[in-house]
Amino acid sequence: MVQPSFNSKLPELPESIFTTMSMMAKTENALNLSQGFPDFPPDAKLLDCVHEAMRKDYHQYAPLGGIYPLREQIAEKIERCYGASYHPQKEITVTVGATQAIFTAITAFVYPGDEVIVLKPAYDCYEPTIVANGGRPVLVQMKGKEHQVDWDEVAGCITSKTRMIIINTPHNPSGRVFSREEMQLLENMLKGTDILLVSDEVYEHLVFDGLQHESASRFPDLASRSLVCASFGKTFHVTGWKMGYCAAPEYLMKEFQKIHEFAVFCVNHPLQHALTAYLKNPEHYLGLGKFFEKKRNLFIEGIANSRFKLEPTQGTYFQLLDYSEISEESDVQMAERLTKDYGIASIPISVFNKDLVDNRQLRFCFAKKEETLNKAIDILLKI
Ligand SMILES: Cc1ncc(COP(=O)(O)O)c(C=O)c1O
């Protein structure tokens, strides 16, 4: 076979750690707390909405930005939660999950040679997308096991080439929820610059202990330069649906939609109707924090007498466990050993860090049935 030669756009891309750990969990028949998805079904009411939508005549293309009623519901949700006003028609686009929203936001604005500041550890889709667009990721490591952001360091990374900053709050994998003060700091830092913000807020409703999610949309000067990306998959326990959205001021959304049009044109039509109906009851998303806080508490109280150390996660459905009193192994070795010898799969954090910094922490997903969490607790107490 003759193979035309070409240069890979992403020559150094390793296999995703999620694929590696999930495969290992499967072959070792281990409990899989590695990848971030629930093992319980979505709300039956949501499924009823889907069945109803499927039986109607929604089987052809939807409008480019999404059906208007869904965009209206999204605008209402943002207004209710964050007091920010987005025009449903001009400032909201329904996407194939948050991943496509983030891909499209980066592709629409990053040119070859542009710099994009990324806080590490970072979700794995940001850097490849920046690089595929010819941009240069400028990595800023969050500090220590607590993952504090050194905002002075972030400010020090800004150059005339900085096109964008990407943030993620609540933050995967650390579970940190950025404070109001931090968001204000960022807002002030970006004032007077041409830097855009991509704010990955897929865990917006998963915030615990009375904390508040500080969406970029709450801060007018920040919102005016932000593309806020969100995920129905994460919010409604349906990660396989790949449904999400982007909210941004009209002048940014216009450019976003130019890329969106030729990447996907439009998104699954019947599911948009189902989500529209389901979003009409705000309880379906406002109750999620409490729902997951209970799961977090069950998990962390269950392992209180284990040899792992932890700080209760502030948001997301991930809990970091510090195993430094148990082993000197690297986090990758430890994650492998726990999967093979103890039958529980997790994610080593170093793979998301700058220079693979290893703080001896593993990430466990607690979006699981009580039964699964109890099994996980039993295993973790034996380690
Ligand atoms: C921080 C973060 N951003 C984005 C995504 C992707 O969201 P979606 O499945 O809606 O594409 C994930 C999924 O794990 C995530 O953790």
Side-chain angles (χ1 to χ4, degrees):
M1 190 178 71
V2 179
Q3 290 190 351
S5 76
F6 59 87
N7 290 329
S8 170
K9 283 202 163 183
L10 299 168
E12 282 152 27
L13 196 67
E15 180 178 78
S16 150
I17 188 69
F18 303 114
T19 310
T20 312
M21 293 314 297
S22 279
M23 291 259 291
M24 201 184 294
K26 209 165 173 190
T27 45
E28 299 295 330
N29 202 17
L31 211 55
N32 189 2
L33 269 61
S34 62
Q35 219 169 338
F37 56 78
D39 70 346
F40 47 84
D43 186 354
K45 286 190 206 126
L46 176 59
L47 300 184
D48 289 344
C49 296
V50 177
H51 289 157
E52 208 180 316
M54 282 291 177
R55 279 190 221 100
K56 292 197 175 148
D57 190 16
Y58 301 135
H59 303 296
Q60 310 312 327
Y61 296 126
L64 184 154
I67 61 168
Y68 190 76
L70 177 55
R71 292 198 267 173
E72 261 183 334
Q73 285 300 322
I74 294 169
E76 270 178 39
K77 177 167 96 74
I78 298 174
E79 174 96 50
R80 177 176 294 114
C81 292
Y82 313 122
S85 162
Y86 286 85
H87 191 289
Q89 186 71 26
K90 297 176 186 158
E91 301 187 312
I92 288 168
T93 298
V94 180
T95 59
V96 183
T99 308
Q100 187 239 314
I102 294 162
F103 182 90
T104 304
I106 294 171
T107 303
F109 297 104
V110 172
Y111 275 73
D114 283 351
E115 293 176 358
V116 180
I117 297 177
V118 176
L119 304 180
K120 299 285 279 176
Y123 184 62
D124 61 356
C125 76
Y126 310 152
E127 288 155 70
T129 309
I130 296 164
V131 172
N133 280 289
R136 190 170 83 81
V138 175
L139 308 179
V140 179
Q141 178 66 33
M142 294 162 87
K143 300 292 174 266
K145 293 186 196 253
E146 293 79 27
H147 296 93
Q148 294 300 328
V149 181
D150 182 341
W151 291 103
D152 288 336
E153 189 181 339
V154 176
C157 288
I158 292 177
T159 71
S160 57
K161 291 186 181 158
T162 309
R163 169 75 287 177
M164 184 179 273
I165 297 186
I166 304 180
I167 61 164
N168 168 218
T169 180
H171 179 255
N172 173 16
S174 73
R176 266 211 57 217
V177 173
F178 288 12
S179 67
R180 185 164 193 77
E181 292 68 34
E182 288 183 288
M183 296 300 280
Q184 282 166 341
L185 244 162
L186 183 60
E187 186 175 40
N188 288 332
M189 190 188 297
L190 299 186
K191 257 185 204 153
T193 73
D194 290 325
I195 300 170
L196 302 179
L197 181 73
V198 168
S199 189
D200 177 350
E201 304 186 8
V202 301
Y203 300 104
E204 62 185 318
H205 301 296
L206 279 54
V207 173
F208 315 132
D209 304 324
L211 289 172
Q212 172 170 284
H213 170 54
E214 300 294 355
S215 170
S217 62
R218 279 190 199 276
F219 305 85
D221 280 356
L222 211 47
S224 68
R225 61 176 77 243
S226 292
L227 296 113
V228 177
C229 302
S231 169
F232 290 120
K234 293 290 178 186
T235 299
F236 294 138
H237 326 314
V238 286
T239 57
W241 290 11
K242 293 301 289 185
M243 298 288 288
Y245 62 88
C246 178
E250 185 180 355
Y251 78 103
L252 297 178
M253 190 46 79
K254 263 190 187 157
E255 296 304 315
F256 180 99
Q257 289 196 343
K258 288 179 191 171
I259 301 297
H260 179 79
E261 179 170 5
F262 301 108
V264 292
F265 178 65
C266 70
V267 174
N268 188 308
H269 194 172
L271 287 185
Q272 293 194 47
H273 284 276
L275 287 166
T276 305
Y278 194 67
L279 278 167
K280 286 187 179 146
N281 181 352
E283 263 315 299
H284 290 151
Y285 50 87
L286 295 178
L288 286 167
K290 283 276 165 277
F291 174 79
F292 279 109
E293 187 172 322
K294 244 174 100 180
K295 288 194 180 292
R296 180 205 64 176
N297 290 349
L298 172 76
F299 185 59
I300 63 178
E301 283 160 19
I303 58 171
N305 292 327
S306 76
R307 294 196 293 155
F308 291 95
K309 286 188 293 184
L310 65 88
E311 275 301 316
T313 196
Q314 297 177 325
T316 74
Y317 44 47
F318 303 114
Q319 177 65 54
L320 292 187
L321 298 186
D322 173 346
Y323 64 88
S324 55
E325 286 183 2
I326 304 173
S327 169
E328 295 274 289
E329 285 161 291
S330 74
D331 61 357
V332 173
Q333 287 168 331
M334 184 70 174
E336 278 179 17
R337 191 162 68 83
L338 293 194
T339 311
K340 290 180 178 163
D341 295 356
Y342 289 90
I344 187 162
S346 56
I347 293 283
I349 300 307
S350 64
V351 297
F352 304 119
N353 280 339
K354 186 177 176 184
D355 304 326
L356 303 177
V357 170
D358 186 348
N359 289 318
R360 306 280 189 267
Q361 287 174 311
L362 300 174
R363 190 197 80 174
F364 292 79
C365 172
F366 56 81
K368 305 292 169 192
K369 292 183 274 205
E370 214 171 298
E371 178 197 330
T372 313
L373 291 175
N374 283 329
K375 277 189 199 158
I377 290 165
D378 284 347
I379 297 173
L380 294 170
L381 288 174
K382 289 189 194 117
I383 295 168

Coordinates of all heavy atoms in Angstrom, one line a residue, residues 36 96-100 102 123 126 168 172 200 202-203 231 233-234 239 242-243 318, ligand 1:
G36 N -15.1 10.0 34.1 CA -16.1 10.8 34.7 C -17.5 10.6 34.1 O -18.0 11.4 33.4
V96 N -22.3 19.9 20.2 CA -22.1 18.5 20.5 C -21.2 18.4 21.7 O -20.0 18.1 21.6 CB -21.4 17.8 19.2 CG1 -21.3 16.3 19.5 CG2 -22.2 18.1 18.0
G97 N -21.8 18.6 22.8 CA -21.1 18.5 24.1 C -20.3 19.8 24.3 O -20.1 20.6 23.4
A98 N -19.7 19.9 25.5 CA -18.8 21.0 25.8 C -17.5 20.9 24.9 O -16.9 21.9 24.6 CB -18.5 21.1 27.2
T99 N -17.1 19.7 24.6 CA -15.9 19.5 23.9 C -16.0 20.2 22.5 O -15.0 20.9 22.1 CB -15.6 18.0 23.6 OG1 -15.7 17.3 24.8 CG2 -14.3 17.7 23.0
Q100 N -17.1 20.1 21.8 CA -17.2 20.8 20.6 C -17.3 22.3 20.8 O -16.8 23.1 20.0 CB -18.4 20.3 19.7 CG -18.4 20.9 18.3 CD -19.7 21.7 18.0 OE1 -20.8 21.2 18.3 NE2 -19.5 22.8 17.4
I102 N -15.7 24.0 23.1 CA -14.4 24.4 23.4 C -13.5 24.4 22.1 O -12.8 25.3 21.8 CB -13.8 23.5 24.5 CG1 -14.5 23.7 25.8 CG2 -12.3 23.8 24.6 CD1 -14.3 22.6 26.8
Y123 N -8.0 19.6 31.7 CA -8.8 18.7 31.0 C -8.1 18.5 29.6 O -7.5 19.4 29.1 CB -10.2 19.1 30.8 CG -11.1 18.1 30.1 CD1 -11.3 16.9 30.7 CD2 -11.7 18.4 28.9 CE1 -12.1 15.9 30.0 CE2 -12.4 17.5 28.2 CZ -12.6 16.2 28.8 OH -13.4 15.3 28.1
Y126 N -7.9 20.7 25.7 CA -7.5 22.1 25.4 C -6.3 22.2 24.5 O -6.3 22.8 23.5 CB -7.3 22.9 26.7 CG -8.3 22.9 27.7 CD1 -8.0 23.1 29.1 CD2 -9.7 22.7 27.4 CE1 -9.0 23.1 30.1 CE2 -10.6 22.7 28.4 CZ -10.3 22.8 29.8 OH -11.2 22.8 30.8
N168 N -11.3 26.6 34.0 CA -12.3 25.5 34.3 C -12.6 25.6 35.7 O -11.8 25.3 36.6 CB -11.6 24.2 33.9 CG -12.4 23.0 34.3 OD1 -11.9 22.0 34.7 ND2 -13.7 23.1 34.3
N172 N -11.8 20.3 37.1 CA -11.4 18.9 37.0 C -9.9 18.8 36.7 O -9.5 19.5 35.7 CB -12.2 18.3 35.8 CG -11.8 16.9 35.4 OD1 -11.1 16.2 36.2 ND2 -12.2 16.4 34.3
D200 N -14.6 27.0 30.9 CA -15.2 25.7 30.8 C -15.9 25.4 32.2 O -15.3 25.3 33.2 CB -14.1 24.6 30.6 CG -14.5 23.2 30.6 OD1 -15.7 22.9 31.0 OD2 -13.7 22.3 30.3
V202 N -18.4 23.0 32.8 CA -19.3 21.8 32.7 C -19.8 21.3 34.0 O -20.8 20.6 34.1 CB -18.6 20.7 31.9 CG1 -18.2 21.1 30.5 CG2 -17.4 20.1 32.6
Y203 N -19.1 21.6 35.1 CA -19.6 21.1 36.4 C -20.3 22.2 37.2 O -20.3 22.2 38.4 CB -18.4 20.6 37.2 CG -17.7 19.4 36.5 CD1 -16.5 19.6 35.8 CD2 -18.4 18.1 36.5 CE1 -15.9 18.5 35.1 CE2 -17.8 17.1 35.8 CZ -16.6 17.3 35.1 OH -16.0 16.2 34.4
S231 N -22.2 21.7 29.6 CA -22.5 20.3 29.1 C -23.8 19.8 29.7 O -23.9 19.7 30.9 CB -21.3 19.4 29.5 OG -21.7 18.1 29.3
G233 N -24.6 16.8 29.1 CA -24.1 15.4 29.4 C -23.8 15.3 30.9 O -24.2 14.4 31.6
K234 N -23.0 16.2 31.3 CA -22.5 16.2 32.7 C -23.7 16.6 33.7 O -23.8 16.0 34.7 CB -21.4 17.3 32.9 CG -20.1 17.0 32.2 CD -19.4 15.8 32.8 CE -18.2 15.4 32.1 NZ -17.5 14.2 32.6
T239 N -23.7 11.5 29.6 CA -22.5 11.9 28.9 C -22.5 11.4 27.5 O -21.9 12.0 26.6 CB -21.3 11.5 29.6 OG1 -21.3 10.0 29.8 CG2 -21.2 12.1 31.0
K242 N -23.7 13.6 24.3 CA -22.8 14.7 23.8 C -23.7 15.9 23.4 O -23.8 16.3 22.2 CB -22.0 14.2 22.6 CG -21.0 13.2 22.9 CD -19.9 13.6 24.0 CE -19.0 14.6 23.4 NZ -17.9 14.9 24.4
M243 N -24.3 16.5 24.3 CA -25.1 17.7 24.1 C -24.6 18.8 25.1 O -24.4 18.6 26.3 CB -26.6 17.5 24.5 CG -27.3 16.5 23.6 SD -27.6 17.0 21.9 CE -28.9 18.2 22.1
F318 N -15.5 14.5 41.4 CA -14.2 13.9 41.6 C -13.7 14.2 43.0 O -13.8 15.3 43.5 CB -13.2 14.4 40.5 CG -13.7 14.2 39.1 CD1 -13.9 15.2 38.3 CD2 -13.9 12.9 38.6 CE1 -14.4 15.0 37.0 CE2 -14.3 12.7 37.3 CZ -14.6 13.8 36.5
Ligands
LIG1 C1 -13.5 19.9 32.5 C2 -14.3 19.2 31.4 N1 -14.6 19.9 30.3 C3 -15.2 19.4 29.3 C4 -15.7 18.0 29.3 C5 -16.4 17.5 28.1 O1 -17.8 17.6 28.2 P1 -18.7 17.0 27.1 O2 -18.8 15.5 27.5 O3 -20.0 17.7 27.2 O4 -18.1 17.2 25.8 C6 -15.3 17.3 30.4 C7 -15.7 15.8 30.4 O5 -15.2 15.1 31.2 C8 -14.6 17.9 31.5 O6 -14.3 17.2 32.6

